[in-house]
């Protein structure tokens, strides 16, 4: 194995590159380009806003109405949800990690042509309601996109009870044309029906109304089949026991100020994490790593 760039295999893919740019609203972002793909990552929330393979449409959905502002979540891409999922009384929606500017610790153009970028969540006053914890996030770009979110309980005496989720928005041709598989027979909490616990019977799943489901105790891979785009998106994961499937449909889309009224037609969220009954309980010094690998292949 070449131990440095000068000894690289001449047949290896070209080295990846990282470019620092001013993104929307002049917020700092990185553009990562490899032989296979490009990705965009904002320091705000360590938020991946785009991943696109050279011969495919973008993999991720970004709302045209998204805000890019301090203290506001970016709408679309891959929100990093930590240390809680969902609404918390007086604390807001989906934690504070996605609202902070993460510290860029290093980026590594590897000999295999991939690029890994490592971020660290800075100390935050909001975390005073939790035992001391640290979070690191590594984004690896190649022909796939791999995300690794590690949370560590830095407290010497308290248990850290928290939730984590990579809340990925996928770009699709039309919500009525796609199907989602990999969730058959699983138990889920139906947030559209007041969190009623149900069992997934339909497989593959078709979406024709608002869907907001937290599937429990599942470690499996989920696939999104999009015949009109001619592609299959595969969501693989490790260190995750919950999968969330969400589409806001018409009414909720109209109620979201940072989301277009018709944008529900071109997106679906398949989110991977540990939420609700699958939430994390880390002993002092304990850590948990949530890994998600996103890939896509042409439909045969
Ligand atoms: O994960 C689904 C969900 O919890 C929905 O209930 C809806 O509130 C959505 O997240 C909001 O996501 P956003 O990225 O707009 O914060």
């Amino acid at each position: 194995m070449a131990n440095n760039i000068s000894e690289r295999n001449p047949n290896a893919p070209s080295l990846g590159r990282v470019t620092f740019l001013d993104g929307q609203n002049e917020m700092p972002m990185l553009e990562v380009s490899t032989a296979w793909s490009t990705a965009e990552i904002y320091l705000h929330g360590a938020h991946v806003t785009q991943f696109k393979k050279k011969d495919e449409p973008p993999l991720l959905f970004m709302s045209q109405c998204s805000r890019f502002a301090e203290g506001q979540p970016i709408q679309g891409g891959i929100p990093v949800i930590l240390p809680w999922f969902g609404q918390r009384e007086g604390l807001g929606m989906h934690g504070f990690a996605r609202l902070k500017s993460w510290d860029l610790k290093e980026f590594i153009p590897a000999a295999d042509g991939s690029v890994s970028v490592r971020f660290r969540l800075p100390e935050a006053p909001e975390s005073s309601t939790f035992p001391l914890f640290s979070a690191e996030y590594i984004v690896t770009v190649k022909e796939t996109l791999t995300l690794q979110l590690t949370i560590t309980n830095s407290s010497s005496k308290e248990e850290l009870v928290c939730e984590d989720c990579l809340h990925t928005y996928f770009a699709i041709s039309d919500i009525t044309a796609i199907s989602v598989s990999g969730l058959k027979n699983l138990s889920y909490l139906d947030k559209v029906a007041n969190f009623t616990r149900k069992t997934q019977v339909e497989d593959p799943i078709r979406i024709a109304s608002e869907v907001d489901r937290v599937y429990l105790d599942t470690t499996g891979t989920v696939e999104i089949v999009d015949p009109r785009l001619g592609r299959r998106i595969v969501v693989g994961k490790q260190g995750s026991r919950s999968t969330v499937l969400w589409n806001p449909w018409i009414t909720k889309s109209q109620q979201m100020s940072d989301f277009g009224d018709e944008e529900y037609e071109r997106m679906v969220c398949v989110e991977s994490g540990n939420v609700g009954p699958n939430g994390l309980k880390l002993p002092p010094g304990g850590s948990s790593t949530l890994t998600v690998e996103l890939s896509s292949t042409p439909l045969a």
Side-chain angles (χ1 to χ4, degrees), residues 75 79 85 93-94 98 167 169 191 212 244 246 252 256 271:
Q75 185 68 271
F85 179 90
M93 174 67 113
H94 284 340
R98 65 175 180 167
H167 188 299
Y169 287 72
K191 292 174 67 175
D212 196 347
V244 180
W246 179 56
K252 177 145 280 181
M256 295 163 65
E271 311 161 29

Side-chain angles (χ1 to χ4, degrees), residues 256-273:
M256 295 163 65
S257 59
D258 54 354
F259 191 86
D261 289 356
E262 283 79 37
E263 287 188 321
Y264 72 93
E265 295 173 346
R266 296 184 291 108
M267 55 70 66
V268 66
C269 280
V270 175
E271 311 161 29
S272 311

Side-chain angles (χ1 to χ4, degrees), residues 44-56:
H44 182 67
H47 202 120
V48 178
T49 51
Q50 200 39 268
F51 174 72
K52 185 186 180 305
K53 287 167 65 174
K54 286 197 166 143
D55 53 355
E56 267 192 41

Side-chain angles (χ1 to χ4, degrees), residues 106-135:
E106 65 178 335
F107 54 89
I108 307 156
D112 67 358
S114 66
V115 177
S116 291
V117 188
R118 181 165 64 87
F119 302 89
R120 188 175 181 86
L121 179 66
E123 290 298 315
E126 298 86 339
S127 52
S128 61
T129 55
F130 285 82
L132 195 59
F133 72 89
S134 64

